């Protein structure tokens, strides 16, 4: 893959996208993790983080799990269960892990928790391998 890690504009993880989330990832055991403190600009209903933002965190964690392992794959299907409202201003800890692989299909799961471990949302993702040159 030929993505320049300093100039790409991914909404979730680019360090230079002015409206992006600027997520930074790390590997922890067999998971890929990040932290994010949602602000008032990320809310839907007053005081609650927009579900699309929570979904972005989960999707990106799974995508990064694969990217960091040299898999070139895109999200083909995503299921999210929102367990409790995510409060604006509270740090979210997000982690993703792989659960399977069959042919081009890779399956992953991710969860977002509050600092005390309370699960906010969980996701199941299906990713399909694509040729590296398909992702620029
Ligand atoms: C520097 C840091 C940057 C890091 C930057 C990190 C960026 C991370 C971004 C976050 C992740 C994203 O948002 S990714 C962006 C959002 N996702 C996308 O844009 C994907 C859009 N969709 C597509 O491009 C396409 O539909 C594909 C590639 C997913 C599949 O198309 P295709 O390659 O033509 O394959 P297709 O023939 O449809 O399917 C191949 C086989 O897979 C099966 N298949 C297809 N979908 C599914 C499915 N959901 N569940 C089960 N099986 C499926 C089919 O039945 C078929 O089986 P058989 O007949 O072979 O048996």
């Amino acid at each position: 893959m030929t993505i320049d890690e300093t100039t790409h504009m991914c909404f979730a993880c680019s360090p230079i996208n002015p409206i992006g989330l600027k997520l930074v990832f790390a590997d922890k055991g067999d998971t890929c993790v990040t932290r994010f403190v949602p602000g008032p600009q990320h809310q839907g209903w007053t005081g609650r983080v927009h579900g699309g933002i929570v979904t972005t965190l989960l999707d990106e964690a799974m995508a990064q799990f694969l990217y960091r392992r040299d898999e070139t794959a895109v999200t083909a299907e995503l299921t999210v269960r929102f367990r409790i409202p995510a409060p604006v201003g509270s740090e979210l800890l997000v982690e993703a892990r792989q659960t399977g692989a069959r042919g081009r299909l890779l399956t992953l799961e991710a969860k977002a928790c509050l600092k005390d471990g309370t699960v906010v949302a969980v996701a199941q993702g299906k990713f399909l391998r694509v040729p590296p040159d398909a992702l620029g």
Side-chain angles (χ1 to χ4, degrees):
M1 216 183 321
T2 56
I3 294 173
D4 182 331
E5 299 202 4
T6 61
T7 61
H8 73 98
M9 289 293 277
C10 175
F11 171 71
C13 69
S14 166
I16 60 165
N17 184 329
I19 65 157
L21 304 182
K22 298 186 172 63
L23 300 174
V24 175
F25 287 87
D27 290 320
K28 188 175 159 194
D30 64 350
T31 68
C32 179
V33 301
T34 191
R35 296 165 182 268
F36 181 66
V37 182
Q41 70 275 32
H42 301 120
Q43 64 193 303
W45 295 109
T46 303
R48 296 177 179 219
V49 181
H50 197 291
I53 295 292
V54 175
T55 299
T56 298
L57 297 174
L58 296 164
D59 183 26
E60 181 73 12
M62 293 187 279
Q64 285 276 343
F65 178 100
L66 296 174
Y67 174 75
R68 297 166 69 87
R69 288 158 181 80
D70 290 329
E71 289 278 12
T72 51
V74 292
T75 316
E77 193 173 317
L78 185 58
T79 304
V80 179
R81 180 158 182 185
F82 301 97
R83 295 261 186 88
I84 61 166
V88 167
S90 296
E91 184 176 57
L92 292 172
L93 283 61
V94 185
E95 70 174 42
R97 75 178 75 237
Q98 187 166 351
T99 55
R102 188 166 50 87
R104 288 177 61 197
L105 184 67
L106 306 167
T107 53
L108 289 93
E109 63 184 16
K111 67 179 177 181
C113 300
L114 300 176
K115 266 206 279 206
D116 67 2
T118 306
V119 177
V120 167
V122 295
Q124 311 286 330
K126 292 182 183 176
F127 291 73
L128 270 187
R129 289 190 175 110
V130 294
D133 59 8
L135 296 180

